[in-house]
Amino acid sequence: HHFALMHLPGNSKYVKNFIQGAVQSDVAILVIAADCFDDGCVAKESVIMQHLRICHACGVKQLIVCVNKMDLVSNAPQKFSQVKETLSKILERKIGYNV
């Protein structure tokens, strides 16, 4: 098996490198903070949304979503469910992934 890991911070100067990596990828891992949704990180033109669109457009077939920083939110089980539901809708309706 061959695999490569990329870390892509939310900086627009890395988008070209991200596209080059995404074109060669079958799977992507999105690590998203639980409190991110309170800050509008999945707004229409956010960096996360841009990365998700690029992944889908480049043919990344599978997406693994990891929710971190659960310790920063109250009612963690409810917050996780909210994040899961919100992100599932975005991935399916706005990006085009089958959830």
Side-chain angles (χ1 to χ4, degrees), residues 54-89:
I54 290 169
C55 281
H56 190 262
C58 289
V60 176
K61 304 273 188 266
Q62 296 179 328
L63 185 64
I64 299 167
V65 178
C66 302
V67 181
N68 71 344
K69 299 186 180 179
M70 292 298 297
D71 57 320
L72 299 179
V73 296
S74 58
N75 296 322
Q78 291 173 326
K79 184 65 172 182
F80 179 80
S81 295
Q82 178 189 4
V83 168
K84 180 181 173 186
E85 182 179 324
T86 302
L87 201 52
S88 293
K89 287 178 184 176

Side-chain angles (χ1 to χ4, degrees), residues 35-44 46:
D35 63 345
C36 169
F37 289 84
D38 301 332
D39 299 337
C41 71
V42 290
K44 185 177 180 181
S46 71

